Amino acid sequence: MEKKYILSFDQGTTSSRAILFDKDGNIVKTAQKEFTQIYPKAGWVEHDPIEIWATQSGVAREVLEAAGVNAGEIASIGITNQRETTVVWDRNTGKPVYNAIVWQCRRTASICDQIKADGMEDYIRENTGLVVDAYFSGTKVKWILDNVEGAREKAEKGDLLFGTIDTWLVWNLTRGKVHVTDYSNASRTLMYNIAELKWDEKILEELSVPASMLPQVKPSSEVYGKTDESMFGVEIPIAGIAGDQQAALFGQACFEDGMVKNTYGTGCFILMQTGEKMVHSKNGLLTTIAWGIDGKVEYALEGSVFMGGATIQWLRDELRLINDAADSEYFASKVKDTNGVYLVPAFAGLGAPYWDMYARGTIVGLTRGANRNHITRAALESIAYQSKDVIRSMEEDSGIKLSTLKVDGGATANNLLMQFQSDILGVEVQRPMVTETTALGAAYLAGLAVGFWKSKDEIAANWAVDKNFLPEMGEEERTRLYRGWEKAVGRSKDWER
Ligand SMILES: Nc1ncnc2c1ncn2[C@@H]1O[C@H](COP(=O)(O)OP(=O)(O)O)[C@@H](O)[C@H]1O
Ligand SMILES: O=P(O)(O)OC[C@H](O)CO
């Protein structure tokens, strides 16, 4: 049967999605299902791995049916996933020993304090590219082994396996035959040495995690195995894996050093491709593996903005200034500027480059003439200012000046935000036709491995622009506004201490 499509699995934090792509990189059909968020205690976040598998395999079958596509027409499957989220299961029964501990979960903060007290911080930063934080998988695995009855004994006997969500999905798709991950996911675990490309023994020892639990780390584009026949009636090669932010970088065809993408969702994830060069940040950005492909590994610098689209949700749900996120553009357009108002959405502290967990949200510059539209506009602009903060750090760390910014994610629908982003950066902002770049990136990785696409050049040629935003603001105005932002950030800092 002619192979006409690639099936992409996009297993995100709140929903599982399956998207069918054709050879031009266009979406043929999408199926999506949300799943349960489990909050056992304040600051704890879990998912049920069985529900993740059920929703993901469910939408995969659903999308084929809805598109009227035969499984035999699928050339391969690509997987992209919420990163860092940790599953530990029994290799004999395939049953998880505990819920998945989600990347957002803060329960291992005290384990992180202990690692720092043990003097491991610099070593970890240098060898994993990450900071010691509860965000990453390593301390989550340790927590499960330390807290689930019998888990440590089983792990030491070699009966337990660890995986991020990609690994868990491949294990289930192959009915327990394949235990792998890719470089990009491994680089988010806190246990992987990104310079030497191997699990780091010293860190494993610090965390007391047996090496026998760990998946084999493979390139991001390769046939890892085939789906069990019971899944789709035929065996389909599983041929691409990447963490979601790296997959988006690939889907945006950021193949040259210095290319940057920003995904504007709840938060904003900004990644700069740095090629074979591993750039260590002086500004608290993360160094991570973008992907491993064509026999080499390429790196990226990553910075995130905690409150991106979430700031607009706050306007909607708490201030009730708008009914719908899209209304923000309409109201912000009613005024020509913010009238001197700045909103710093440091609701959960400030990330890179400030790293101030005691900062809190603030609105400054209010005068008698300030109205709700000014505040809405200031909220939108804050997303662009925070992105600029991260991008400036990237430029400083890498010595590469940004030439264009490729954007994706829900909030890129907002033209006013995109224009302001271009204005405040002084660079062109490019919004592609396909903004599902995460799933597209995984599809491309899977397609390359089976010859569905021949080269990265062919993929780059598929990238098509929907709209380019060019800077219209003068340099003087840009500097004046950004100075105001920095001053506003100063007012929000160190508030809670
Ligand atoms: N037109 C818009 N203007 C501003 N923000 C928007 C707009 N549309 C969606 N958003 C914001 O984008 C986010 C949703 O984008 P999405 O990519 O689906 O995020 P996630 O993957 O994090 O759930 C929400 O936080 C929402 O407030
Ligand atoms: O599922 P998302 O899109 O919220 O992404 C989660 C990130 O991978 C966390 O690092």
Side-chain angles (χ1 to χ4, degrees):
M1 203 174 278
E2 195 196 341
K3 305 290 181 200
K4 293 194 205 143
Y5 310 101
I6 303 284
L7 178 58
S8 193
F9 289 7
D10 181 358
Q11 207 303 304
T13 310
T14 56
S15 73
S16 298
R17 293 194 301 164
I19 303 187
L20 210 51
F21 288 97
D22 66 15
K23 212 159 207 153
D24 295 326
N26 289 322
I27 294 175
V28 177
K29 204 87 196 168
T30 302
Q32 173 166 7
K33 195 156 174 48
E34 291 193 4
F35 55 86
T36 320
Q37 305 292 314
I38 305 164
Y39 305 110
K41 285 186 190 179
W44 290 33
V45 190
E46 297 176 2
H47 293 155
D48 176 355
I50 304 287
E51 196 183 356
I52 286 194
W53 166 242
T55 51
Q56 190 60 66
S57 51
V59 289
R61 290 198 187 93
E62 190 185 323
V63 81
L64 295 188
E65 205 175 302
V69 164
N70 190 300
E73 294 174 281
I74 309 292
S76 61
I77 290 175
I79 296 177
T80 182
N81 53 290
Q82 51 166 323
R83 304 167 306 167
E84 300 98 10
T85 297
T86 297
V87 190
V88 174
W89 68 95
D90 187 315
R91 70 157 81 228
N92 306 308
T93 63
K95 287 213 174 82
V97 299
Y98 193 76
N99 273 338
I101 303 188
V102 178
W103 58 279
Q104 299 155 324
C105 186
R106 307 303 306 171
R107 84 182 63 189
T108 57
S110 61
I111 302 180
C112 294
D113 291 341
Q114 185 57 49
I115 294 173
K116 288 182 193 162
D118 293 345
M120 286 286 286
E121 206 172 1
D122 289 347
Y123 180 87
I124 288 180
R125 183 152 191 92
E126 255 161 53
N127 293 286
T128 67
L130 308 175
V131 293
V132 176
D133 192 274
Y135 181 12
F136 307 104
S137 319
T139 58
K140 300 182 196 288
V141 186
K142 177 174 168 56
W143 189 93
I144 291 176
L145 297 187
D146 288 347
N147 290 277
V148 175
E149 211 188 316
R152 184 160 292 287
E153 294 75 56
K154 273 190 178 170
E156 272 156 15
K157 265 176 47 201
D159 286 341
L160 296 190
L161 298 177
F162 151 75
T164 38
I165 297 295
D166 52 316
T167 307
W168 171 243
L169 293 178
V170 174
W171 174 266
N172 282 287
L173 281 166
T174 60
R175 293 276 185 269
K177 287 203 190 76
V178 181
H179 185 226
V180 294
T181 190
D182 88 302
Y183 288 117
S184 71
N185 275 294
S187 75
R188 314 297 297 186
T189 60
L190 207 79
M191 299 183 282
Y192 195 66
N193 190 311
I194 62 168
E196 294 178 18
L197 302 182
K198 58 174 202 185
W199 296 110
D200 190 291
E201 279 163 28
K202 193 167 164 183
I203 301 173
L204 293 182
E205 199 176 309
E206 169 73 17
L207 293 168
S208 309
V209 170
S212 60
M213 295 180 75
L214 305 172
Q216 209 182 343
V217 184
K218 299 259 191 164
S220 314
S221 180
E222 171 177 310
V223 177
Y224 311 99
K226 291 189 170 160
T227 58
D228 189 85
E229 213 178 312
S230 59
M231 218 14 242
F232 298 106
V234 292
E235 293 183 332
I236 304 175
I238 306 161
I241 302 179
D244 56 8
Q245 300 310 323
Q246 288 95 327
L249 191 69
F250 201 83
Q252 286 274 28
C254 289
F255 299 146
E256 282 162 38
D257 300 7
M259 289 178 96
V260 182
K261 72 90 197 177
N262 189 1
T263 301
Y264 299 75
T266 310
C268 298
F269 285 93
I270 305 162
L271 268 77
M272 173 188 271
Q273 219 265 73
T274 61
E276 290 176 67
K277 202 167 140 211
M278 219 172 94
V279 176
H280 281 288
S281 173
K282 291 190 185 68
N283 295 296
L285 302 177
L286 306 174
T287 309
T288 204
I289 296 182
W291 45 70
I293 182 172
D294 297 337
K296 64 176 191 222
V297 154
E298 295 190 292
Y299 295 92
L301 263 179
E302 173 171 329
S304 46
V305 168
F306 299 153
M307 296 294 155
T311 314
I312 307 307
Q313 289 169 357
W314 179 74
L315 290 188
R316 184 193 62 193
D317 302 337
E318 310 305 326
L319 295 196
R320 296 178 188 262
L321 291 184
I322 50 175
N323 288 322
D324 184 85
D327 295 346
S328 61
E329 183 169 355
Y330 172 78
F331 289 110
S333 308
K334 286 186 154 197
V335 288
K336 66 177 193 328
D337 56 31
T338 67
N339 200 4
V341 175
Y342 287 91
L343 188 157
V344 184
F347 304 136
L350 286 168
Y354 306 106
W355 292 114
D356 182 350
M357 58 181 166
Y358 300 106
R360 286 297 175 267
T362 185
I363 300 178
V364 293
L366 293 169
T367 56
R368 187 71 177 76
N371 65 36
R372 53 193 293 166
N373 298 333
H374 295 124
I375 292 174
T376 300
R377 192 171 180 118
L380 281 174
E381 290 187 359
S382 76
I383 302 172
Y385 282 124
Q386 294 177 94
S387 297
K388 177 171 168 125
D389 290 338
V390 171
I391 289 167
R392 265 170 47 119
S393 303
M394 279 179 173
E395 290 182 323
E396 197 182 305
D397 287 331
S398 66
I400 300 172
K401 184 112 187 63
L402 183 75
S403 56
T404 51
L405 177 68
K406 294 191 175 195
V407 300
D408 51 71
T412 58
N414 193 310
N415 290 318
L416 185 141
L417 169 61
M418 293 299 104
Q419 182 57 49
F420 187 75
Q421 185 71 84
S422 170
D423 284 337
I424 206 66
L425 285 171
V427 303
E428 183 175 342
V429 166
Q430 301 180 328
R431 184 173 66 198
M433 294 292 280
V434 178
T435 51
E436 294 291 353
T437 52
T438 300
L440 181 59
Y444 280 152
L445 289 164
L448 280 171
V450 297
F452 189 77
W453 289 291
K454 302 284 176 258
S455 66
K456 287 203 278 188
D457 289 342
E458 191 183 341
I459 285 170
N462 268 350
W463 192 93
V465 73
D466 163 49
K467 194 167 161 61
N468 283 333
F469 298 86
L470 292 166
E472 289 166 0
M473 188 180 279
E475 188 60 44
E476 218 171 283
E477 174 77 343
R478 179 177 306 127
T479 308
R480 186 183 66 78
L481 288 177
Y482 192 64
R483 282 219 181 105
W485 166 254
E486 289 179 308
K487 215 165 143 190
V489 167
R491 300 294 152 103
S492 79
K493 275 189 190 163
D494 209 25
W495 183 261
E496 194 58 27
R497 205 187 299 263

